[in-house]
Amino acid sequence: LQRLYERYCGQGLEILDFPCNQFREQAPESSREIASVCQTKFDTAFKIFEKIDVNGASASTLYVYLKAQQPQDRGGHMLKEAVLRLAALGSKHQAGDIRWNFTKFLINRQGEVVARFAPSVTPEEIENDIKKLL
């Protein structure tokens, strides 16, 4: 994501990172610690927000909106998606829920949610979609 941001931020690309700890508690650190690790380890320059919930009764209104606009993931690798489904077993997911960290939404300049990508879709795989919107 950082490489895409560096490549296209001058053309208007913004990346907004919303940490979430709803997926097997993979992000138990504070929001400040998460941002620090991302900035130190990955040299991220894009905005990292406070940790939020993306599913359930306490889901952020932003994610309620995003999921309503794009309820299905696009893309994904069959094997990786099968692993994600197994990891989510026992979770009470509803239609449209985010299934795992690193689900990505693509929003155009008019604020329309044009795509939702599965967690297994790499940033490089959505580069052409980004370029079309810039």
Side-chain angles (χ1 to χ4, degrees):
L1 287 173
Q2 178 58 31
R3 284 191 295 267
L4 285 177
Y5 183 70
E6 290 168 0
R7 196 172 297 141
Y8 299 109
C9 68
Q11 296 174 49
L13 176 67
E14 292 292 338
I15 295 176
L16 310 178
D17 182 359
F18 295 90
C20 179
N21 194 37
Q22 287 187 294
F23 305 101
R24 301 255 171 142
E25 299 182 2
Q26 288 191 324
E29 302 85 2
S30 71
S31 296
R32 179 172 279 164
E33 291 170 319
I34 291 169
S36 178
V37 167
C38 289
Q39 291 163 351
T40 302
K41 190 171 181 180
F42 303 107
D43 290 324
T44 55
F46 50 83
K47 178 72 174 150
I48 300 173
F49 289 82
E50 293 292 316
K51 198 175 349 181
I52 62 169
D53 284 347
V54 298
N55 293 326
S58 61
S60 161
T61 54
L62 171 62
Y63 272 78
V64 170
Y65 173 77
L66 293 171
K67 294 184 301 184
Q69 298 303 304
Q70 291 289 329
Q72 295 288 333
D73 289 343
R74 191 167 105 190
H77 305 284
M78 288 179 57
L79 181 57
K80 289 180 182 178
E81 291 302 308
V83 169
L84 290 177
R85 281 193 291 282
L86 285 173
L89 281 178
S91 300
K92 295 180 180 175
H93 287 285
Q94 303 210 345
D97 273 356
I98 305 295
R99 293 181 298 134
W100 203 256
N101 282 321
F102 303 106
T103 295
K104 294 162 276 304
F105 289 90
L106 189 57
I107 301 169
N108 68 16
R109 291 179 189 267
Q110 293 72 40
E112 300 165 327
V113 186
V114 297
R116 171 178 168 172
F117 296 96
S120 62
V121 174
T122 67
E124 294 80 14
E125 291 174 296
I126 65 174
E127 185 170 6
N128 285 332
D129 295 284
I130 291 169
K131 289 192 308 189
K132 289 176 188 173
L133 295 177
L134 292 176

